[in-house]
Amino acid sequence: WTKLKKGWMDELTIPPPNKAKLPHQTKVKNTLEEAIAKTNPKDGMTVSFHHHMRNGESVLVRSIEILAKMGIKNITLASSSLNMSHNPIIKYLKDGTITRIWTSGIRGELGEAISEGVLDVPIVIHSHGGRVRAIHTGKISIDLAIITASAADEEGNATGAIGKSAFGSLGYATIDAQYAKQVLVVTDNLVEYPCYPLSIKQIFVDYVVKVDSIGDASKIASGTTRITKSPMDLRIARLAADVIENSGLFKNGFSFQVGAGGASLAVAKFIREKMKKKDIKGSFLLGGVTSYGVDMLNEGLFKSIFDVQSFDAAVSTSLYANNNHIEIPAALYANPFNCGCMTNKLDIVVLGALEIDVDFNVNVITGANGEMRGASGGHSDTASGADLTVVVCPSFRGRISTVNKKVQTVVTPGETVDVLVTERGICVNPQKPELEEKLIKAGLNIKKIEDLQKEVENIVGKANEVVYSDKIVGLVEYRDGTIIDVIRQVVK
């Protein structure tokens, strides 16, 4: 964070590879096996994937299985994130097929296995913006990028906005296409040339393959993301909306980002109501986009949406049809080392947390048992750029406090977090006394975070300490490349 404040004008970068295809050569291959074989895979290679299809994704597992059958070892897996659908690759971590991982998030049995030390080399957890920086500076050097698309043509022009498996924006895969030594586009919908919109451009693509299915479409985009019905979450969301309304930033032209979880969407619901009541028109919505954001765009509450990741089926249609719904690459979204990523233009962001400590440091990676079960994502990117960062979470979950003296793992530093909103009260970072004064004048229930921590501990008791070994299983990178924390092996 200090590096970013000072500015790193001399950061080393690498050029993208020079590649050329002669006229009248076909890029289309008959099978995924043939296409991967054409890239001449080798031991020690780095293979990248994107996670826009979330738990419906299947191409990553199939590709790793193919590489394993070919006898390729010591692979560095550089997926923009990993989900529970990727649990089947655990066996390839055990047999030496995969020995290193870069990712923004990891969940399920895969996260559990890594937390228990299945790999000898620590995985690296980065933010979405930090991943772009790492590729641009050569820390992640991609040999083969396998990019799944819901539609593509014979030259490799590809999109996620149309087709039976449409999932929306391909924002996280753009940097892979530009910097990978070889690029393979995989689709279940090979369309007549040219395919548009041009999310991925043919000038970067070496091979194209059509498969029967790129994944489970019901898990890729499962209709409309729903707002929570939990009374507690709705209370937290209403309080967060009150904080925003009284922050001094809730005015014409404000920009806004909110997550796709039910509680976060509820904040958007209440903000939507307040905007209509006060006749406020916003500038843009940013980040992961839901149908709720699309509704706000169509109602004229915001001028535009900048979409790096789409979260439900309705978003794909809007992305394809509405010129004010704009697909953006992760570099424009959150890369800290360019002339101005869009997170720097954010007025307000609402974020979740697995836990937060009395210094406002936030953990979104490890659970109360110390195992990896979350994602850094754009958390630290947006927190650093927004004028107002609001973290929303219940004060405890299942008799486990979320407000602690010290978090298990620091992902987002407390100096970039302004407000914590829980059902038991609102805590303002001492670095923002003017904001605290405004919220007190508005009659909101403001508490010192140390007092809230003690209050919750008195209710649920002190949590059992997680037992760790000395082995480091994960490194948490801040968006500028600084190692902000480490994750140690859980002892059971």
Side-chain angles (χ1 to χ4, degrees):
W1 173 237
T2 302
K3 296 174 187 175
L4 288 181
K5 288 191 288 186
K6 291 179 180 177
W8 270 22
M9 301 301 292
D10 60 346
E11 178 70 10
L12 295 176
T13 60
I14 62 168
N18 285 322
K19 300 189 291 186
K21 292 289 182 185
L22 296 175
H24 315 301
Q25 288 185 328
T26 180
K27 296 180 180 179
V28 179
K29 301 304 169 188
N30 293 321
T31 65
L32 185 57
E33 288 84 353
E34 179 189 354
I36 289 176
K38 286 292 291 184
T39 67
N40 296 315
K42 61 183 184 299
D43 290 352
M45 69 187 300
T46 296
V47 186
S48 76
F49 301 84
H50 68 78
H51 74 287
H52 287 283
M53 294 172 293
R54 298 175 294 285
N55 272 325
E57 207 281 329
S58 66
V59 172
L60 185 153
V61 173
R62 287 152 63 189
S63 299
I64 296 299
E65 287 174 347
I66 290 168
L67 289 166
K69 287 179 181 178
M70 296 174 67
I72 306 300
K73 296 289 186 181
N74 196 27
I75 292 172
T76 294
L77 173 61
S79 180
S80 54
S81 197
L82 294 165
N83 294 300
M84 288 182 285
S85 61
H86 301 132
N87 286 338
I89 70 169
I90 292 174
K91 62 182 177 181
Y92 299 118
L93 275 60
K94 294 178 178 178
D95 71 7
T97 301
I98 298 171
T99 54
R100 291 173 173 81
I101 294 177
W102 290 72
T103 183
S104 73
I106 194 159
R107 299 173 175 86
E109 295 173 11
L110 184 57
E112 182 179 352
I114 291 171
S115 298
E116 293 176 2
V118 69
L119 290 177
D120 293 330
V121 180
I123 74 167
V124 181
I125 300 290
H126 49 63
S127 71
H128 288 325
R131 181 175 191 267
V132 178
R133 170 202 48 75
I135 294 172
H136 189 55
T137 57
K139 291 186 73 174
I140 301 176
S141 179
I142 302 170
D143 294 294
L144 172 61
I146 299 179
I147 298 175
T148 309
S150 62
D153 62 35
E154 62 187 9
E155 290 296 328
N157 298 303
T159 182
I162 59 174
K164 65 180 181 180
S165 303
F167 52 82
S169 174
L170 262 167
Y172 296 135
T174 306
I175 188 70
D176 303 57
Q178 292 174 344
Y179 275 83
K181 295 180 179 68
Q182 295 195 77
V183 177
L184 167 60
V185 167
V186 182
T187 186
D188 55 9
N189 182 29
L190 193 64
V191 300
E192 185 177 343
Y193 184 90
C195 175
Y196 60 89
L198 296 178
S199 304
I200 301 296
K201 300 178 179 64
Q202 67 186 56
I203 57 173
F204 302 118
V205 179
D206 297 278
Y207 302 106
V208 180
V209 63
K210 181 182 183 297
V211 296
D212 292 335
S213 171
I214 59 172
D216 185 344
S218 67
K219 296 178 181 177
I220 293 169
S222 52
T224 301
T225 312
R226 299 185 182 277
I227 294 173
T228 181
K229 294 182 180 180
S230 162
M232 182 177 68
D233 286 344
L234 288 172
R235 170 172 167 74
I236 294 170
R238 191 180 294 277
L239 289 172
D242 290 341
V243 167
I244 291 168
E245 181 182 19
N246 293 283
S247 66
L249 295 171
F250 188 63
K251 55 189 177 183
N252 283 323
F254 83 99
S255 55
F256 188 45
Q257 177 167 338
V258 65
S264 297
L265 279 181
V267 179
K269 171 183 182 295
F270 294 127
I271 288 297
R272 180 185 188 183
E273 293 172 357
K274 291 177 184 292
M275 290 178 74
K276 290 180 177 179
K277 183 177 180 180
K278 293 194 171 185
D279 194 27
I280 288 176
K281 307 294 184 185
S283 172
F284 64 86
L285 291 167
L286 180 64
V289 177
T290 66
S291 57
Y292 206 81
V294 170
D295 290 342
M296 295 174 81
L297 173 68
N298 292 336
E299 290 171 348
L301 295 178
F302 287 90
K303 292 180 181 178
S304 57
I305 292 176
F306 293 99
D307 186 345
V308 73
Q309 182 178 21
S310 310
F311 279 104
D312 57 45
V315 180
S316 298
T317 303
S318 173
L319 184 66
Y320 184 74
N322 191 335
N323 289 335
N324 293 323
H325 187 157
I326 304 159
E327 182 176 5
I328 61 170
L332 178 56
Y333 172 53
N335 178 17
F337 289 168
N338 61 30
C339 290
C341 57
M342 297 203 72
T343 54
N344 292 347
K345 295 289 289 180
L346 263 180
D347 290 311
I348 302 164
V349 64
V350 179
L351 299 169
L354 290 175
E355 62 171 340
I356 186 169
D357 66 25
V358 294
D359 293 316
F360 288 84
N361 298 308
V362 177
N363 170 25
V364 286
I365 286 292
T366 50
N369 63 358
E371 294 178 354
M372 300 183 209
R373 47 158 295 186
S376 173
H379 205 283
S380 65
D381 295 318
T382 51
S384 71
D387 288 336
L388 176 65
T389 299
V390 181
V391 170
V392 295
C393 65
S395 60
F396 59 89
R397 299 184 180 97
R399 305 293 297 179
I400 297 174
S401 175
T402 60
V403 187
N404 299 308
K405 290 183 179 179
K406 185 178 179 181
V407 291
Q408 296 277 1
T409 308
V410 177
V411 175
T412 297
E415 63 186 276
T416 65
V417 175
D418 301 308
V419 183
L420 166 66
V421 180
T422 75
E423 81 285 2
R424 295 184 175 276
I426 299 163
C427 305
V428 181
N429 193 316
Q431 296 182 15
K432 293 293 184 82
E434 301 88 354
L435 175 61
E436 184 175 50
E437 185 177 345
K438 289 176 182 176
L439 300 183
I440 291 173
K441 285 183 178 179
L444 298 180
N445 181 22
I446 306 301
K447 296 181 177 181
K448 297 298 181 185
I449 195 167
E450 294 86 357
D451 294 338
L452 179 62
Q453 184 272 320
K454 292 175 183 176
E455 178 183 337
V456 175
E457 188 176 281
N458 287 336
I459 296 171
V460 301
K462 289 186 177 181
N464 295 325
E465 289 191 10
V466 179
V467 179
Y468 297 103
S469 75
D470 291 334
K471 180 179 179 178
I472 295 174
V473 296
L475 304 174
V476 181
E477 263 198 3
Y478 191 57
R479 57 198 306 258
D480 65 356
T482 303
I483 302 301
I484 197 169
D485 208 345
V486 300
I487 303 171
R488 297 187 184 275
Q489 179 186 25
V490 175
V491 177
K492 290 189 174 182

